[in-house]
Amino acid sequence: MIELSLANGFAVICVGTLTYIISMVFYNLYLHPLSKFPGPKLWAAFQFPYLQAMLAGRVSFQIKELHDLHGPIVRISPNELSIIDPEAWKEIYMNKEFIRPPQFRERPPGVEAHSFISAGVVDHARFRKAIAPAFSEKAVRLQEPIITQYIDLMIKKLREKVEGKTDLVVIDVVQWINFTTFDIISDLGWGESFHCLEKQDYHPWMTVILQFKALLIGMSINYYPLLKTLVSYITPASALAGLKLVLDTSEQNVKARLARKTNRPDMMSYILSHNESSPTARMTEDEMIANSMAVIVAGSETLTAALAGTINALLTHTKERETLVQEIRSSFKNEEDITAQSIKPLPYLTAVLQEGMRLYPPLPDNMHRSVPTGGAIIAGHHLPEGVAVGMPCYSTFRSQTNFSQPDEFLPGRWLPEHQEEFPKDKKEAYNPFSLGVHGCLGQQLAWAELRVILARLVWNFDIAIPEGKKPLVWESQKIFWAWQKDGVDVQLSLAAR
Ligand code: HEM
């Protein structure tokens, strides 16, 4: 009798679940407000194909294939569209009401304070007001001695590796740039660097925080509330040890910096001065910790990807490399003359970096946003509130509809004298820093570092693919929010003058 009712109960659950799944699939495919948009049926019916592609590190590439097949708007999950129409940049990202969908703005377990990533409209605006002055053009000019100190150290250490050596010297440029960008941003953020260049090693904080795949697994689970509850119950404390280290280190660094009474032009000085002048909009200590972590990750990994991707392209593009070398080495008398200001007007250097970030955008994936209350018109379509939209830099910058010869490394496209050779180029499609209220806060700093690091490397060294090694195909690497960066080996020798 009991067995029978258990069996009945099980059957009811199975039938109920099946009915729910069938109705959900039917609704998603035929009744959902996004059902008229093209895309693979499986992706439209279920969330898991998108998440599966994301966790396999291939979602940016798959979405590019979908855009090639279906056009500028593709449905990539039941509730989300991917858009590569340049018009959508302004429509989505210039509207401050478009914030990240809830699944993409979770705080780490145990963190109450919000950061740029997790905040709602009001807190986000307060954070921007407190931190934006720390990365303005004026601030970056004041910060230049701090930045230069680390670039000097990088060059010194690399020269020590090469000078007087008869053997060929090969370095992993990803590592060296990572050491430099992390040292710079940790000093500018916390007033204390990670000392990676001195130790020629990663700081434990970095090794934990760079596990973006783990972050994406956490985000994926957010789509399944039951699973999320279960995971939070069964996750042992030991699994969160890395996260604890990150949070503790961040807290200690913020507290140590606050205890040091100094007016050096780092981020904390600007936040403290904001707190003094706008006490009602002040940033709390916990918010400083959460936001400084976001700034340090955003201000290091992106730069490393942009520079390593560009250098990797230069290794296989001799003509472009030689043009760059010629521009850098003929524009200055001494290395000390290379500064963020003096180097700004060099057109080819900027064009090379722009082209590097077009082919290998540091944030290649869709930048997800929720359509706000009342809905919105995006790329000519009225979309209801609550659906998600996003532009993927990788697909947008590589699309035939937006760029001529989109897969070729051709820095000339960014120079006015070569415009007519690239008739299909829509420069308004290109926003590697995004734009608007959620656009990159560190653009001035980014351009200063990108230009000076690349120029000083080119000034000091000749670079080549190591003998006997095949060049890295950048796109063979996986993407977990950022490029996985397996390493770019470069043969280094002192610049032949
Ligand atoms: C080549 C270098 C860089 C690129 C390509 C880049 C790109 C971007 C992009 C595309 C976004 C928007 C992300 C989104 O909406 O999901 C962003 C946001 C952000 N970036 Fe950058 N970034 C770079 C360097 C930096 C640097 C050096 C800093 C250091 C201050 C920085 C700080 C930030 C912050 C704090 C945000 C969040 C802004 C907000 O949500 O209001 N970035 N960046």
Side-chain angles (χ1 to χ4, degrees), residues 151 154-155 159 177 307 310-311 314 321 324-332 334-344 346 348-350 352-353 447-463 495 497:
I151 302 177
M154 176 190 78
I155 297 291
R159 286 192 75 101
I177 294 173
L307 284 163
T310 305
I311 291 172
L314 287 169
R321 190 173 70 238
L324 180 67
V325 166
Q326 151 71 17
E327 182 181 77
I328 302 294
R329 294 188 194 161
S330 66
S331 299
F332 303 96
N334 303 301
E335 190 177 359
E336 302 78 64
D337 300 336
I338 303 177
T339 67
Q341 282 308 310
S342 69
I343 207 145
K344 231 179 184 174
L346 298 195
Y348 202 72
L349 172 66
T350 302
V352 162
L353 287 162
W447 272 112
E449 287 191 50
L450 289 171
R451 289 192 177 108
V452 178
I453 292 176
L454 183 56
R456 299 242 348 236
L457 282 172
V458 166
W459 173 273
N460 281 281
F461 305 105
D462 288 330
I463 59 169
R497 289 200 163 80

Side-chain angles (χ1 to χ4, degrees), residues 390-401:
M391 297 197 66
C393 286
Y394 186 78
S395 302
T396 309
F397 304 168
R398 294 263 190 149
S399 161
Q400 289 275 3
T401 58

Side-chain angles (χ1 to χ4, degrees), residues 413-428:
R413 76 172 77 240
W414 300 101
L415 301 172
E417 61 271 28
H418 293 291
Q419 290 298 298
E420 66 287 359
E421 293 164 39
F422 302 96
K424 281 165 69 184
D425 278 17
K426 295 180 189 157
K427 299 285 156 52
E428 67 279 16

